[in-house]
Every structure is written in structure tokens, then in C-alpha cells.
Amino acid sequence: MAFESIYALVEAHLKKRVSTTCLDVGSARGYWIDQMASKIPSTQFTGVDLVPAKRSQKSRTSSSSSSSFEVHDVNGGLERYQASFDVVHVRNLTQGIQRFSSCIGDIAETLRPGGLGVFIEWDYQVYNSSRVAYTFSQATFDPSRRVVPGFQAPSFGRPSSSSSSSLFLTPSSAGSSSASTSSSTSSSPSSPFPPSFPGSGNGGGRPTTSTEQIPALVHFLRAVVRASTAAGSHISSVGHLGAFVQRTYQFKDVQVRDVWVPVNPQPGCDPQERKLAAEFRPAFVGFLNSCSPLLLSHGGYTATELSSLEDAARIEIMGGKVPMYVRFICVTGIKI
């Protein structure tokens, strides 16, 4: 498990007493609750999400006595849960949050004194085996700028390495000489394209490398951030997660760490890393699929354009030729 060390802290904290409670914010289908409930059956778990949890019969049966799921929009506050839990777990929440820093303060209020807060967020970027973020040397296509005089949308056909004018090129093998080391990806003021990443042009302070190896995937993730921001999300602030937790002034012993998860591991990696990548890759592709409604409603794409972009991104991921890693920012703290 990628977050094994983080969740070991959760398990140890919940086993300190005979009867404990845990809140999972953004619980989705309840998979995390099921995993933890199987290890700590004495803990009462509560999951909250914007929509009802789609639970399988097996999940409902296995943890029915120790878990409950409620529909609640955390953007409206969490007053009803104030000082009710020993642990609160939050993962991948920023895409649906309108005021991220304030939301973290609300979440902190749900903990009892001495409770453990666990916050885990992905930064919506992809990295190489040296932990350097991939970028793309061409500016990101913004469908909303079709109104610019003389603007022509790029072709979204099947990637072809023989077409130098194509936005998406066929992924080449790792270490290809086609990758440069430029860190500048911003467009000129007169360009019909937006900056490479809302709120951060350089990977949240980390080094970047320009590459032609996975242009569709990089483009797709930029589009997700842009569309989420247009929909009112605070998604571009994820790099400030540690500071937001600190500035609630409700936690002590705050620790910030990066957890790297392989999508396509580098050649020669150990079997454990290959296994982790095989487990994570389908979920990563599933994330791409889940973004379709967002990109159609707030990204400005036609269905045809989006289908071609998704297909190209999936080819880059499933082709397995380019090492890819994603970074999760993990923050833990003890409620004062």
C-alpha cells in the first residue's frame, strides 16, 4: 500500500482506546473505511460525501455494524460533527472544494483534543523517475479561445510521430533525446493559450522538464485544473496544504511528507514497485474517465475533441514506455 506508513499512524491512534471514532471526509464508495474497519472493528467509522455512497452488498455486510455513510456538502461547514472524532481522514478532496483553507479549519473542528488529522492530496502533475515534473513545450490548447481571430484548434487525431505539427506525439522510449530540459512553458501575452498551470507555472516549486513523451497526459491534467478552477474549485492551492494545516493554529506536531506512487515504474525497479504500479494504474485511468463531465461542462471541449484527448492520454499511460510517478502531499497533525 502506497500510504502504509501514514495509515499505520491512524491504526495506532485508533487502538489507543477501546472505543474510538473516525471521520472519512470524501468517502466515495467507502473502500478506505472498509479496509480500516477490517483491522479495527472496535472503531465506529463515519463517511461523508456529496452524493450517496454506492456500496456493494459485500461491503455493506462486512462493515455494517461499525460504519455509517451520510450525504453532506463540506463546503457548507461541518458544525454538526464538531469535537466528535478521534481521527479525521481526508484524501483527494481539493477538486470539489471551493474554499480549501477554510475547509481545513472546519475539518479540524471535528476532532477531539489529541485527535489525529490526516490530509492527503495529489498535485495533479506527473513526474519522471528523478521526481522532476513533466511539462510540454507547446502551450496548452484552450478550447474557449476559438473566438480569437485566426485561431485554429490543433488536430486531436491519433498521435503520429511523423507529423511535426501535431499537438500529440507518439510516446517514445524513456531517455529519448527528444526530451529537453527547459523549465519555461508559459505562453506569450498575445497567445490564445493560458499559463501552463493555474497558480503555479513551475510544478509548485519543484523542478520541471519539458518533454514530447507524454504531451496528451500533461495537456489533460492542465485542462482538469483549468476546468475545476472555472467550476469554482480551489484545486490550484494544493501545494499549500501543509501551510493551510499549520495556519489553522489547531494542530501541533504537524508533519509534511511526499508519497510517490508509480504509474509506470522505471526499468529495473523492484517487484514491489511494479506490483504497486499495476494496482494503481487502473485507478489512474479511471480518474481520467471520471473527468469527462467536468471537461465537457467547464473545459470548453466538444465530445469529439475530448474523446480524442482521453484516448491519447490512455495510450501514453497504458503503453508503459515512459516512466511516470505521481506525488501525494501528506500532512498529519495532532489536535491541540
Side-chain angles (χ1 to χ4, degrees):
M1 180 187 294
F3 306 103
E4 185 174 356
S5 62
I6 303 294
Y7 293 150
L9 295 175
V10 173
E11 188 173 349
H13 201 84
L14 290 174
K15 287 182 175 179
K16 286 182 177 180
R17 299 205 312 270
V18 175
S19 180
T20 50
T21 55
C22 177
L23 176 66
D24 185 19
V25 182
S27 53
R29 295 176 181 267
Y31 293 148
W32 183 81
I33 286 181
D34 290 341
Q35 291 174 354
M36 298 305 295
S38 66
K39 298 178 180 179
I40 323 168
S42 62
T43 294
Q44 181 62 43
F45 291 88
T46 301
V48 297
D49 211 326
L50 187 61
V51 296
K54 296 181 180 179
R55 306 275 289 159
S56 67
Q57 181 61 42
K58 180 180 179 180
S59 296
R60 288 196 299 268
T61 303
S62 63
S63 61
S64 59
S65 62
S66 61
S67 63
S68 61
F69 294 85
E70 303 175 11
V71 176
H72 183 77
D73 184 0
V74 298
N75 287 301
L78 292 162
E79 290 84 0
R80 60 190 285 191
Y81 303 105
Q82 190 166 20
S84 300
F85 298 95
D86 300 293
V87 170
V88 62
H89 171 256
V90 183
R91 190 168 85 183
N92 296 337
L93 196 66
T94 50
Q95 194 175 4
I97 297 301
Q98 299 166 357
R99 47 185 191 90
F100 191 38
S101 58
S102 298
C103 182
I104 289 176
D106 293 340
I107 291 170
E109 294 286 352
T110 68
L111 284 168
R112 300 185 178 105
L116 173 67
V118 178
F119 305 86
I120 303 174
E121 295 292 337
W122 176 35
D123 67 359
Y124 294 90
Q125 296 194 90
V126 184
Y127 297 79
N128 65 17
S129 57
S130 298
R131 309 305 191 251
V132 177
Y134 286 119
T135 64
F136 186 41
S137 59
Q138 295 187 36
T140 302
F141 167 55
D142 182 355
S144 67
R145 300 305 299 272
R146 289 189 183 89
V147 297
V148 175
F151 175 75
Q152 291 185 350
S155 169
F156 283 82
R158 183 178 178 85
S160 172
S161 58
S162 62
S163 174
S164 60
S165 62
S166 174
L167 180 62
F168 302 137
L169 307 180
T170 302
S172 57
S173 60
S176 168
S177 60
S178 64
S180 69
T181 57
S182 170
S183 61
S184 175
T185 60
S186 300
S187 56
S188 64
S190 60
S191 169
F193 301 104
S196 62
F197 193 93
S200 173
N202 66 346
R206 298 188 65 86
T208 62
T209 180
S210 180
T211 181
E212 311 301 320
Q213 294 177 306
I214 52 170
L217 181 57
V218 171
H219 178 108
F220 184 93
L221 295 178
R222 291 179 185 174
V224 168
V225 172
R226 185 177 62 242
S228 297
T229 302
S233 167
H234 207 183
I235 190 172
S236 61
S237 66
V238 65
H240 303 294
L241 178 60
F244 287 161
V245 173
Q246 286 272 18
R247 291 172 186 172
T248 64
Y249 301 106
Q250 298 189 60
F251 291 98
K252 64 179 180 179
D253 302 330
V254 174
Q255 297 186 30
V256 182
R257 69 199 83 182
D258 290 340
V259 171
W260 296 92
V261 181
V263 180
N264 287 320
Q266 61 181 331
C269 69
D270 62 75
Q272 182 62 30
E273 186 169 331
R274 287 199 300 271
K275 179 182 178 182
L276 182 58
E279 294 172 349
F280 181 73
R281 197 179 302 117
F284 192 62
V285 173
F287 164 76
L288 266 63
N289 298 337
S290 72
C291 291
S292 295
L294 171 70
L295 293 176
L296 287 172
S297 62
H298 291 85
Y301 290 91
T302 66
T304 301
E305 289 171 344
L306 181 57
S307 177
S308 296
L309 176 58
E310 289 174 337
D311 287 347
R314 277 192 290 267
I315 290 171
E316 292 173 355
I317 295 171
M318 302 309 292
K321 295 181 179 180
V322 180
M324 300 182 202
Y325 295 79
V326 294
R327 176 177 69 124
F328 288 87
I329 303 170
C330 305
V331 182
T332 59
I334 301 298
K335 179 68 181 292
I336 298 173

